[in-house]
Amino acid sequence: MSIEALSIIKDAMEEMRLNYAFMEYVVEGDETLPKTYFVGEYQELEPVNEDGEEDTVFILTGFSREKWIQLEEAKGKIKKYFPKTTGKTAVTESGSVIAIFYANSLPFPVEDDELKKIQINLTVKEWKVEE
């Protein structure tokens, strides 16, 4: 997964006003964790074609100390931003093409009764320009 694709997701989360960090959400000093936030990670998939397409599953894990509806509303924003059928597409500065689609979600029970957790999977397709 390219830095450009990671930047597109980060910018999208900021645009949707969803608290987000890649790999871990770190707070500094006197800050506390937001009541609802997301952490992103990814899994690259083995290529199935010879057309240069690279596929990745981008996993957004959402956490909330509010009601479940907070995570469901955030999921709705993400689903709308990255439509399942048309996706969000971009041509990067390097000339690569990136398409990001909402794939699915799965809420998780957590032993901490106050904490809610949801996993939202995005499909990322990249066609990179050879340098």
Side-chain angles (χ1 to χ4, degrees):
M1 181 165 203
S2 69
I3 297 293
E4 293 169 317
L6 291 172
S7 292
I8 290 169
I9 293 170
K10 177 184 170 289
D11 292 346
M13 296 297 281
E14 286 177 4
E15 190 176 322
M16 290 182 277
R17 299 182 191 267
L18 298 173
N19 297 308
Y20 165 79
F22 179 65
M23 294 304 292
E24 66 179 323
Y25 202 100
V26 178
V27 293
E28 297 177 11
D30 293 339
E31 291 181 46
T32 59
L33 280 173
K35 289 186 178 183
T36 301
Y37 65 95
F38 287 84
V39 175
E41 60 187 287
Y42 63 86
Q43 178 183 4
E44 293 177 337
L45 305 175
E46 192 170 328
V48 293
N49 299 322
E50 295 179 8
D51 63 358
E53 177 186 332
E54 295 180 12
D55 291 341
T56 303
V57 175
F58 193 84
I59 303 159
L60 281 170
T61 305
F63 300 92
S64 184
R65 293 220 175 260
E66 298 180 302
K67 295 182 179 183
W68 275 105
I69 196 68
Q70 300 305 121
L71 290 174
E72 289 296 325
E73 287 172 350
K75 178 184 83 173
K77 287 181 180 181
I78 294 166
K79 200 172 185 177
K80 185 176 180 180
Y81 196 93
F82 300 107
K84 240 181 186 183
T85 53
T86 57
K88 179 79 168 179
T89 59
V91 177
T92 67
E93 286 184 21
S94 69
S96 297
V97 175
I98 299 173
I100 304 173
F101 306 84
Y102 173 88
N104 55 39
S105 67
L106 177 65
F108 283 97
V110 180
E111 288 184 24
D112 180 346
D113 291 337
E114 292 181 18
L115 185 65
K116 283 73 172 174
K117 179 179 172 183
I118 191 169
Q119 177 178 316
I120 299 170
N121 297 319
L122 303 175
T123 301
V124 180
K125 296 180 176 287
E126 295 183 73
W127 294 268
K128 295 182 183 175
V129 174
E130 295 295 324
E131 295 181 27

